[in-house]
Amino acid sequence: MKINRTLYRIFLLVTFLALNGLILFGISSAWTYLNTGADRTSMLHLHEDISASYLPKVQWEVAMNEGRPMEEQTLGEIERDYMSAWQVRNAAYANNVPYGIADYYTDSMRTELFKITDLNLKNKVTLKTTTLEHHPKLEFYSTDGKLVVFTDKNVEAYEEVYHNESLVTKRKLLSDFKVMLLLEDGFWRIRQLVETSLPEEPKAVESQVQNLDNFHFKGINYYPQDTPWDMFGKKFNDSIIEYDFKLMAKMGVNSLRIFIPYESFGKEYVNQEKIEKVKLTLDIAEKNGLDIMPTLFDFYGNYSIHDWTMTNRHVEQVVDALKDHKAIIAWDVKNEPDLDFESRGKEQVLAWLEQTVERIRKVDPKHAITIGWSSPEAATNLKDKLDIVSFHYYREAPEFEKAFTTLKNKIANKPLLLQEYGYSSYDGIWNAYTGSDKKQKEYMETIQNVVEKENLSHMIWTLYDFRNIPTSVVGRLPWRKVRQRHFGLLDDNGEKKPVYHIFINNQP
């Protein structure tokens, strides 16, 4: 009995201590919460990525504004909340659900925006829109630090209008806005946003390309043999690149196409370490007399207008960092984007391509711009926006001349580039033993005869047979992976294949 009483007392004591511990923990948690400032996203129940996918270019003009001087930190907070206001406005128009509007606009502005979303919802109209550039000029900052007025000049926007989910129209806009922001609850909200000019079409930047006069591409799509599709990763080796570049220069090659994948280069926050690797590669190319055409958006496939500001920031950082290098010959926007027409929508893909061409040209008007279309038929898209019309070819060799002639007749006054072509020499079970070194040679001989006759610029796929193909590139299916390994002019031991002599001897 005494033992049971003792255990009972111990149980009561432990229970008492546990309850008191829980009470004290609860009190301390509440105290911590009450004394910690909630961030804007939790306090206003907004998504944490409210601005993660919206990064338009913003250039402030802060001169002798009336009122108190503007503090740098305050200006940053104003810009943050002002851009977030545009983002939630864009999202509200796209869905006709005014989520977040109350958090970034004062009462009077909310009412106006609610009217628009209600009317559009009633009429089954939606607007997909984004802004690409803002140029705010600060005009007034109140002495109490609670009101700011500025003019947002040359706001560059893109808009698509849909009715019953069908695209009605699309347009580019350039407008000025008068803006008033009030500081409420520690955050800046728009009190007034008035368009002060009639929207107009932004003027396109004129191409100033001069470096392509009489230039003939005899090139190779290049990856190091042991790091295909990962040239600038952890295994980057400038000694291997230098060896290969010297080898290709001796082959009579004058140009190379290399690839800068969007995601692995950091997307909107470009990895500067990888940029330095690209610069080193360009140095090696210049030393060996090779010109470089970088492909900027390999493996990118979003195209949504809500992603445009992020890809624009990527373009600006990469192109601006490399444009002055003497080895740069041209920019290739995207590898085979027409393959995404069906899954992403042709209109959406073309709209993204067109504005990306314009963004590249704003940063670098002096170098040519092209797009690597997957076929001659696709290469007529956006032909008037490009300096070079590029296409790829992997179909039957006897059909090449007809396909090329058809394209040539549709393209006037633009140089044509056979940017990618080749044939796999793999001869094994996974392609029913239909390939061989001999068939690769015969295929390329047919293509090269047309190339020579037409004096067509060309860039072959590729220098080496690769030892390994990343699963992320072609998937896990063995018949796809093993075939992709055998397109080289040199085999996996670096020995010349029969096709090597076809490519080398057919020099224009």
Side-chain angles (χ1 to χ4, degrees), residues 113-129:
L113 293 173
F114 291 160
K115 287 179 181 178
I116 294 173
T117 55
D118 289 344
L119 181 63
N120 286 346
L121 184 62
K122 180 180 178 181
N123 293 321
K124 297 182 179 180
V125 172
T126 55
L127 303 175
K128 291 184 179 180
T129 182

Side-chain angles (χ1 to χ4, degrees), residues 257-275:
R257 181 176 177 230
I258 64 172
F259 300 85
I260 298 179
Y262 174 65
E263 289 198 10
S264 70
F265 265 70
K267 299 193 291 188
E268 69 273 23
Y269 301 110
V270 173
N271 185 322
Q272 293 305 310
E273 182 180 345
K274 290 196 173 186
I275 289 294

Side-chain angles (χ1 to χ4, degrees), residues 57 71 118 121 161 206 228 234 260 289 296 299 360 387 413:
K57 186 175 182 178
E71 306 90 356
D118 289 344
L121 184 62
V161 181
E206 294 294 328
K234 294 180 180 179
I260 298 179
L296 296 176
F299 298 112
I360 294 171
D387 302 293
N413 303 320

Side-chain angles (χ1 to χ4, degrees), residues 88-192:
V88 297
R89 174 181 178 268
N90 295 343
Y93 286 171
N95 304 298
N96 289 324
V97 177
Y99 178 81
I101 291 295
D103 302 321
Y104 291 98
Y105 295 86
T106 61
D107 289 338
S108 59
M109 276 296 298
R110 295 171 200 167
T111 302
E112 294 301 316
L113 293 173
F114 291 160
K115 287 179 181 178
I116 294 173
T117 55
D118 289 344
L119 181 63
N120 286 346
L121 184 62
K122 180 180 178 181
N123 293 321
K124 297 182 179 180
V125 172
T126 55
L127 303 175
K128 291 184 179 180
T129 182
T130 188
T131 59
L132 305 175
E133 288 192 18
H134 293 261
H135 302 271
K137 179 182 179 182
L138 184 64
E139 295 176 353
F140 177 75
Y141 181 37
S142 64
T143 54
D144 61 2
K146 294 184 178 180
L147 183 147
V148 65
V149 177
F150 55 88
T151 301
D152 196 354
K153 301 183 295 181
N154 296 325
V155 176
E156 185 178 337
Y158 175 81
E159 179 180 272
E160 294 177 346
V161 181
Y162 292 81
H163 182 252
N164 286 327
E165 299 184 357
S166 296
L167 180 63
V168 177
T169 186
K170 57 184 180 179
R171 56 180 183 165
K172 303 175 210 174
L173 305 169
L174 195 66
S175 307
D176 294 343
F177 291 87
K178 196 75 171 181
V179 188
M180 178 187 294
L181 271 67
L182 297 178
L183 186 63
E184 298 180 347
D185 305 322
F187 301 100
W188 292 95
R189 290 187 172 93
I190 294 182
R191 171 66 178 82
Q192 188 178 55

